[in-house]
């Protein structure tokens, strides 16, 4: 039971949501304003992964390494899949991908510093 909660589950759920969002936007195109802002909201939601240190049932060995690996790989795939759902691809969505990954690295660095200070 100790291995069920972790960053892998978090990023897996976000990936499934981004696939679902892409399928919803194929027919209506009404979700484009929301998809356009996901470059910010996906890294902002990844702050929740650092809450795993306060859960007693989570295995803490190598947790920071797992958070970083899953954050970089999962962040790439989730942001890419979510922004590909935008109906009219262009340079704005490409820049949203780059900005989302840069913000994800920033969130990971700040979260790591906070965890090192706190624990």
């Amino acid at each position: 039971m100790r291995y069920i909660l972790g960053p892998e589950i978090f990023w897996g759920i976000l990936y499934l949501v981004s696939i679902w969002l892409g399928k919803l936007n194929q027919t209506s195109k009404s979700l484009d304003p929301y998809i356009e802002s996901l470059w910010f909201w996906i890294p902002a939601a990844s702050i929740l992964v650092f809450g795993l240190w306060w859960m007693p049932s989570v295995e803490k060995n190598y947790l920071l390494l797992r958070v970083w690996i899953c954050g970089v790989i999962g962040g790439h795939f989730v942001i890419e899949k979510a922004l590909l759902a935008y109906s009219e691809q262009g340079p704005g969505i490409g820049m949203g991908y780059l900005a989302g990954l840069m913000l994800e690295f920033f969130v990971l660095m700040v979260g790591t510093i906070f965890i090192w200070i706190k624990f």
Side-chain angles (χ1 to χ4, degrees), residues 2 5 11 18-19 25 27 29 35 45 54-55 66 72 77 83 90 102 108 112 114:
R2 293 181 68 128
L5 291 176
W11 286 106
S18 65
I19 290 173
N25 201 41
T27 57
K29 310 290 189 239
I35 292 173
W54 283 272
M55 297 178 113
R66 288 172 48 208
V72 171
F77 283 115
L83 294 181
M102 286 190 296
L108 288 172
T112 300
F114 181 76

Side-chain angles (χ1 to χ4, degrees), residues 36-114:
E36 207 169 15
S37 66
L38 285 178
W39 67 269
F40 175 76
W41 291 110
I42 291 172
S46 69
I47 294 171
L48 296 173
V49 173
F50 290 101
L52 291 171
W53 271 268
W54 283 272
M55 297 178 113
S57 64
V58 175
E59 181 67 37
K60 305 296 190 288
N61 293 335
Y62 301 107
L63 183 59
L64 193 57
L65 178 65
R66 288 172 48 208
V67 166
W68 266 88
I69 291 172
C70 292
V72 171
I73 294 172
H76 159 70
F77 283 115
V78 170
I79 292 172
E80 178 190 24
K81 185 60 97 174
L83 294 181
L84 278 176
Y86 194 71
S87 61
E88 295 180 22
Q89 296 292 316
I93 290 299
M95 188 58 209
Y97 169 77
L98 292 174
L101 281 184
M102 286 190 296
L103 187 58
E104 180 64 34
F105 275 110
F106 180 74
V107 165
L108 288 172
M109 284 189 291
V110 170
T112 300
I113 292 170
F114 181 76

